[in-house]
Amino acid sequence: MPEKQYDHNLIEMKWHRRWENQPLYKPEHDTTKPKYYVLEMLPYPSGTLHVGHLRNYAIGDALARYKWMQGFNVLHPMGWDAFGLPAENAAIKNNRHPREWTLANIAAMKRQHNRMGFSYDWDLEVSTCEPEYYRWNQWFFLKMLERGIAYRKKALVNWCPECATVLANEQVVDGCCWRHETTPVVQRELDQWFFRITQYADELLADIAQLEGGWPERVLTMQKNWIGRSEGTEVDFQLADFETKIRVFTTRVDTIFGATCLILAPGHSLAKELVDADGQKQVRAMLDAQARKDPGDVLKEGFATGHYAVNPYSGGKVPVWVGNFVLMGYGTGAIMAVPAHDQRDFEFCTQYGLPVVPVIRPMDGALADPAAMKEAFGDDGIVENSGEYSGLGSEEARTRMNARAKAEGFGEKAITFRLKDWGVSRQRYWGTPIPVVHCPTCGVVPVPEDQLPVLLPLNVAITGKGKSPLENVPEFLNVKCPVCGEDARRETDTMDTFVDSSWYFYRYCDAHNSSAPFDSKKIAYWFPIDQYIGGVEHAILHLIYSRFWTKMMRDIGVIQNDEPVKRLFTQGMVIKDGAKMSKSKGNVVSADEMIDKFGADTGRVFELFAAPPERDLDWTDTGAEGSYRFLARVYRFVTRNVDRADLSSTLPRTEADKRVLRKLHQTLKKVTEDFESRWHFNTSIAAIMEFVNELYASESELTPAVIAHVLERLTLLLGPFAPYVAEEMWEELGRTGPVFKQKWPAYDDELAREAGAEVVLQVNGKMRSKIVVPFGASKEDLEQRAREDDKIQPFLAGKQVAKVIIVPDKLVNFVVKG
RNA sequence: GGCUGAGUGGCGAAAUUGGCAUACGCAGCAGACUCAAAAUCUGCCGUCCUUCACUGGGCGUGUGGGUUCAACUCCCACCUCAGCCACCA
């Protein structure tokens, strides 16, 4: 009879049909059971999935299946993002409605995820473009409005001329829109909605300590840098000829006696007031250039306003300049330039012939000669030429100067963050409408809760030009004021889609709740998320917004946890032909193509086997073929030995039996440990391959009882990695019930143990021989055996043994001289 | 410029606590099976020297130093690559 061959199409089709349209596993809301919440980041593809998109799901799904088998109550949900901008672009290009486009994409992605056999609980599917999700976005918005966390202000904002919309700072990449890499961003002043994330800056920074260990160090560092806390001093400089003061921020107030000018950002309000018409022109030019934020070294430029300001510490007068390298968005938008102790100031001042005045002496040196200085001295040291502060250390001088500023009312100690408030307004159609009404008499009026959700009108022309398309829909735009009942105008801004992704994982716990965003009791059980898996590209935006949103929800009283995610895992990219997979590079392997050719199981096994999950992975077809061969090898072994398997057989165990059992239990141990600690599934799968190699070598000598024992465990072992073929083999073994509902096989230390300890014999640290001894042999015994070893003796002959290092059960090392 | 990683065969990689460097896979080579091929199975596979062969030995984890009986692993300095941030006062 011909041997059964592995046919992934037959097997996967069969089980896919059985699993389709029914949740494989439903978590119970049973708070007495240990829970595990595993979540992959929302997909953001605008078209079909490729193998690069599937990697974090392969990792997450293996983990979810393992945790089930370990008896955990597992929440493993899946949902879909609204893809704001891609949806509108598609609408413009293909004349399709964004809603239609989005739903079609979701259907396509869902079909592909189903084909991969991922084990989501589809009953908890959440799409962020659904009316119910809008309702709760808006509900949170109103809560934030009440508390002043959501607010509106006129602001200079980044504006992408291509999208005709505002961008968050985080969406500006190298001076260009994150979606249009060649379109420079310009600055515009507009009324915008913001979330006061800066109110949480301190907490966001402090709570990073809670995440240490569970989050990658790299991500935490990126977040710290992004929040960018710095301690310093704000100091007022009185203008000599006006009643106005200029407030500057500095971290080095100890250098203030060396300040030789003040420099205003071109966006500073005084920059416009203090300069003449010609200066106005220069200011505008600088603003445009700053908006472009050209990467690399932009030449420092500036000009004097002709005005002077008084240094409150020294009483000296310094000129006021405008400089293109000073940013409005950081500190106060004005700086004091201390060329002797700040490299940027040094470059600026020497370029324009402004004096350099050293006031800090290095601990072990002399005060620099300004004429000879090639660069600024930026370290702390001893303060000199600074009146009453001369002779103090930098630290001490800062403390005293802060105290004086406060006492005399011209400044104070200040903490500045790089993090800015989150601008959430988008002049775009496809997003959650901001639920407020503008009334000529009552001002900004929130939409009453019982009128939520405010839904998008469906008949709308999307052109991608000018203002929001919503402005052209009278039945949306024109409303009555909820307070006075007069004619009013609905807000047409919609919310950033990062709002959606900031809390979708909470909604999963209670996806069908229609009276609240979720039941707080369910959140208390499931949160924080035990394991979140996604790309490192979300280290800043999504992962800071989510943390902020969690703290905000805690403050409005709907949840109790401070942090959303206990452990974060960032998987590497999938590379092909030396580049990240992308349509433009033409190196995409689509999910459908891969499944047709190799099967979902092979794709999953290869993605887990080819590299450790945190590292980048090279996709090669020949490599995938190797994984296919491995699965085929396993399948063949199982099917051709299944008739031989008999657990009740009492034949005595052969040497091969013992060898195979030992290898099996070593493999079980290895795979279990990989799941429990470092997730190096590449070594887990390598171990299973080694075990299969051992099975092939010993096949003919195995007894029926051992065959039965081995086949069952081999199948279970493969369950998390290759679920389709595992299921098929389980059925071949005459067993019923899905593999992932079986118990994870425990390993037996006794069976896993080697017959004896293999001891390495070294001379001067070089391996010369190996011997096998019973475990726990004494040091004397070991040395004796080592000295008698044939291969060791020549190295000891005629030499003097200075020392013998013995590590029991491991090694003997002779240190010889002569 | 700052921060964070990484650098091991022809290639992807392993070595988890300082103790056998290169597990597992890919590619390659050889053999078995076959009329033949594919598939499959088995063996070889860092480098140099030695040997007909068996074998034995030197070198070898980016570079240079150090600690140690022993270093891919720890310390110091440097080089290269990647990612993120970047006139942040």
Side-chain angles (χ1 to χ4, degrees):
Chain A
M1 193 170 114
E3 199 169 71
K4 253 192 192 174
Q5 289 299 319
Y6 174 59
D7 183 333
H8 67 271
N9 276 323
L10 275 177
I11 292 173
E12 293 183 5
M13 200 85 83
K14 170 178 163 187
W15 290 98
H16 177 60
R17 284 218 190 90
R18 293 201 197 172
W19 288 343
E20 213 177 10
N21 300 323
Q22 56 171 0
L24 297 184
Y25 180 92
K26 292 197 67 54
E28 307 151 44
H29 285 290
D30 173 356
T31 53
T32 61
K33 284 186 82 176
K35 62 93 185 179
Y36 198 85
Y37 186 174
V38 56
L39 179 68
E40 298 93 0
M41 280 184 193
L42 279 180
Y44 202 107
S46 50
T48 46
L49 297 178
H50 60 69
V51 294
H53 293 125
L54 296 173
R55 194 172 184 202
N56 62 330
Y57 304 105
I59 297 165
D61 200 49
L63 191 68
R65 286 170 185 271
Y66 170 75
K67 288 289 174 183
W68 279 330
M69 294 173 84
Q70 285 285 17
F72 282 83
N73 195 17
V74 176
L75 183 60
H76 185 213
M78 186 62 196
W80 316 98
D81 204 0
F83 330 148
L85 192 50
E88 295 213 349
N89 286 347
I92 294 159
K93 262 195 224 153
N94 310 328
N95 199 25
R96 284 178 82 183
H97 193 277
R99 180 178 170 78
E100 186 201 327
W101 180 89
T102 302
L103 295 181
N105 258 330
I106 287 176
M109 290 196 296
K110 186 170 177 180
R111 187 185 56 78
Q112 286 168 317
H113 276 259
N114 267 321
R115 274 193 86 187
M116 285 298 289
F118 293 134
S119 59
Y120 310 118
D121 181 357
W122 289 112
D123 279 356
L124 298 179
E125 187 180 352
V126 169
S127 290
T128 62
C129 58
E130 294 300 329
E132 271 304 287
Y133 203 77
Y134 282 181
R135 179 200 298 272
W136 303 114
N137 273 344
Q138 291 166 351
W139 186 83
F140 281 121
F141 187 95
L142 296 180
K143 297 283 171 195
M144 283 193 271
L145 194 59
E146 273 171 34
R147 284 164 176 76
I149 298 173
Y151 68 99
R152 193 161 179 260
K153 70 171 180 191
K154 229 181 218 343
L156 270 182
V157 292
N158 304 305
W159 177 272
C160 173
E162 189 105 4
C163 311
T165 191
V166 172
L167 301 169
N169 288 317
E170 294 87 339
Q171 291 169 327
V172 178
V173 178
D174 290 341
C176 295
C177 171
W178 68 320
R179 294 243 159 243
H180 301 100
E181 289 170 15
T182 54
T183 307
V185 165
V186 298
Q187 304 254 293
R188 283 212 182 169
E189 199 165 57
L190 282 178
D191 269 322
Q192 296 288 298
W193 287 97
F194 286 85
F195 289 159
R196 211 179 293 278
I197 191 172
T198 52
Q199 186 177 317
Y200 290 89
D202 261 324
E203 202 192 341
L204 286 168
L205 191 66
D207 286 357
I208 282 177
Q210 292 182 29
L211 306 175
E212 304 270 359
W215 285 42
E217 204 50 46
R218 178 167 51 140
V219 171
L220 296 181
T221 308
M222 281 161 74
Q223 293 213 353
K224 279 181 207 159
N225 292 342
W226 191 262
I227 297 167
R229 181 183 198 273
S230 56
E231 279 184 30
T233 312
E234 286 185 2
V235 181
D236 290 327
F237 281 65
Q238 175 69 51
L239 278 175
D241 45 359
F242 279 104
E243 266 311 300
T244 312
K245 291 173 174 154
I246 298 176
R247 174 158 280 221
V248 303
F249 173 76
T250 177
T251 53
R252 291 297 304 276
V253 70
D254 54 311
T255 65
I256 198 165
F257 282 75
T260 55
C261 68
L262 295 193
I263 309 175
L264 302 173
H268 198 282
S269 56
L270 283 176
K272 282 169 219 143
E273 288 175 30
L274 293 181
V275 303
D276 53 23
D278 189 46
Q280 297 275 10
K281 226 186 265 173
Q282 293 192 56
V283 165
R284 264 196 303 277
M286 283 183 192
L287 267 177
D288 273 351
Q290 246 182 17
R292 258 177 266 120
K293 276 184 202 151
D294 288 335
D297 281 348
V298 176
L299 271 184
K300 288 186 178 50
E301 281 173 18
F303 63 91
T305 60
H307 298 271
Y308 287 82
V310 179
N311 183 330
Y313 288 94
S314 69
K317 272 194 192 176
V318 293
V320 178
W321 286 59
V322 177
N324 68 341
F325 69 102
V326 180
L327 304 172
M328 193 53 222
Y330 187 77
T332 60
I335 63 160
M336 61 175 202
V338 185
H341 302 293
D342 181 286
Q343 187 56 29
R344 292 154 309 178
D345 298 347
F346 183 80
E347 286 166 23
F348 186 82
C349 290
T350 48
Q351 182 182 337
Y352 289 105
L354 289 156
V356 177
V357 180
V359 292
I360 305 290
R361 171 167 66 78
M363 289 296 186
D364 52 354
L367 204 57
D369 169 13
M373 282 181 89
K374 291 254 168 17
E375 57 178 19
F377 171 69
D379 297 342
D380 277 8
I382 308 295
V383 178
E384 299 290 356
N385 296 335
S386 300
E388 61 187 284
Y389 304 99
S390 298
L392 296 175
S394 288
E395 185 77 52
E396 175 68 14
R398 285 197 286 269
T399 310
R400 294 207 196 174
M401 285 170 148
N402 282 341
R404 176 164 161 205
K406 178 137 186 140
E408 298 185 14
F410 62 75
E412 62 195 328
K413 188 174 166 182
I415 292 163
T416 299
F417 292 94
R418 210 188 77 107
L419 183 73
K420 286 168 216 143
D421 277 341
W422 175 12
V424 292
S425 282
R426 295 293 179 274
Q427 288 65 43
R428 200 165 284 155
Y429 168 75
W430 194 233
T432 308
I434 289 175
V436 302
V437 165
H438 298 281
C439 171
T441 44
C442 311
V444 172
V445 180
V447 173
E449 250 183 61
D450 58 13
Q451 289 175 28
L452 299 184
V454 177
L455 291 180
L456 292 168
L458 289 179
N459 59 329
V460 59
I462 292 162
T463 59
K465 300 259 160 34
K467 290 183 178 173
S468 166
L470 292 173
E471 306 239 4
N472 304 323
V473 185
E475 56 276 33
F476 178 82
L477 191 64
N478 301 322
V479 285
K480 299 293 179 197
C481 169
V483 175
C484 67
E486 293 302 311
D487 285 349
R489 188 176 167 280
R490 196 184 285 286
E491 172 66 65
T492 55
D493 282 357
T494 52
M495 293 184 211
D496 185 359
T497 50
F498 273 106
V499 170
D500 302 329
S501 55
S502 292
W503 70 281
Y504 70 99
F505 35 78
Y506 285 92
R507 181 75 181 167
Y508 283 144
C509 298
D510 200 5
H512 307 297
N513 196 326
S514 55
S515 58
F518 41 70
D519 177 349
S520 300
K521 286 200 291 291
K522 291 181 177 171
I523 301 300
Y525 174 58
W526 287 109
F527 269 77
I529 292 169
D530 293 277
Q531 187 67 59
Y532 199 18
I533 302 162
V536 73
E537 67 271 18
H538 294 108
I540 307 288
L541 315 178
H542 168 53
L543 289 171
I544 284 192
Y545 294 149
S546 313
R547 294 182 59 218
F548 154 71
W549 200 277
T550 290
K551 292 171 193 305
M552 177 277 289
M553 291 197 298
R554 178 205 56 200
D555 286 352
I556 69 176
V558 295
I559 60 169
Q560 281 117 53
N561 49 303
D562 294 324
E563 286 289 338
V565 175
K566 202 190 293 175
R567 288 170 57 86
L568 172 73
F569 188 87
T570 52
Q571 90 279 0
M573 292 184 303
V574 177
I575 306 283
K576 184 155 186 286
D577 306 327
K580 184 179 173 173
M581 269 189 201
S582 72
K583 254 187 219 157
S584 57
K585 297 251 167 51
N587 60 353
V588 169
V589 179
S590 82
D592 280 336
E593 191 188 315
M594 183 274 286
I595 296 170
D596 289 341
K597 196 164 166 191
F598 300 111
D601 281 341
T602 298
R604 290 163 74 143
V605 166
F606 178 69
E607 292 212 344
L608 296 173
F609 172 68
E614 71 276 10
R615 221 187 292 183
D616 285 352
L617 163 90
D618 266 315
W619 180 275
T620 61
D621 273 10
T622 50
E625 277 163 25
S627 296
Y628 187 91
R629 274 199 288 271
F630 163 65
L631 291 178
R633 209 164 136 86
V634 174
Y635 181 77
R636 273 198 312 276
F637 187 87
V638 171
T639 51
R640 78 177 170 226
N641 285 292
V642 67
D643 293 337
R644 211 145 67 86
D646 179 7
L647 213 47
S648 64
S649 156
T650 53
L651 283 176
R653 281 186 186 169
T654 61
E655 277 308 306
D657 283 342
K658 287 181 196 156
R659 216 165 46 231
V660 162
L661 282 175
R662 189 185 308 136
K663 192 77 180 169
L664 169 67
H665 284 269
Q666 286 171 348
T667 306
L668 287 170
K669 184 172 184 176
K670 166 99 185 97
V671 175
T672 306
E673 284 172 356
D674 273 339
F675 266 117
E676 292 296 335
S677 58
R678 37 172 227 170
W679 291 13
H680 279 196
F681 302 123
N682 54 330
T683 60
S684 307
I685 293 170
I688 300 173
M689 286 174 171
E690 277 185 65
F691 172 58
V692 172
N693 290 346
E694 178 67 51
L695 283 180
Y696 269 74
S698 308
E699 186 169 4
S700 59
E701 299 159 57
L702 298 177
T703 56
V706 168
I707 289 268
H709 179 89
V710 157
L711 293 188
E712 179 187 316
R713 277 161 181 76
L714 175 62
T715 303
L716 296 175
L717 207 43
L718 224 47
F721 307 114
Y724 282 117
V725 69
E727 208 62 56
E728 179 70 12
M729 294 189 309
W730 196 245
E731 200 182 64
E732 292 272 354
L733 294 179
R735 310 289 296 264
T736 53
V739 168
F740 56 80
K741 289 196 177 165
Q742 310 306 313
K743 215 167 141 31
W744 181 253
Y747 57 86
D748 184 332
D749 268 323
E750 208 53 45
L751 286 171
R753 183 182 300 184
E754 293 287 346
E758 195 176 33
V759 173
V760 174
L761 305 184
Q762 298 180 332
V763 179
N764 287 340
K766 278 209 159 65
M767 202 273 283
R768 297 299 178 186
S769 183
K770 275 190 249 185
I771 53 173
V772 176
V773 300
F775 282 104
S778 72
K779 287 194 173 188
E780 295 73 22
D781 190 18
L782 278 175
E783 183 173 344
Q784 179 67 21
R785 286 170 187 257
R787 281 180 185 277
E788 286 167 3
D789 189 81
D790 292 349
K791 290 184 181 143
I792 290 298
Q793 280 182 354
F795 289 98
L796 300 184
K799 309 246 171 84
Q800 193 198 342
V801 176
K803 202 174 173 187
V804 185
I805 313 282
I806 298 166
V807 183
D809 295 344
K810 269 204 167 154
L811 113 165
V812 178
N813 185 15
F814 294 99
V815 186
V816 302
K817 283 181 191 161

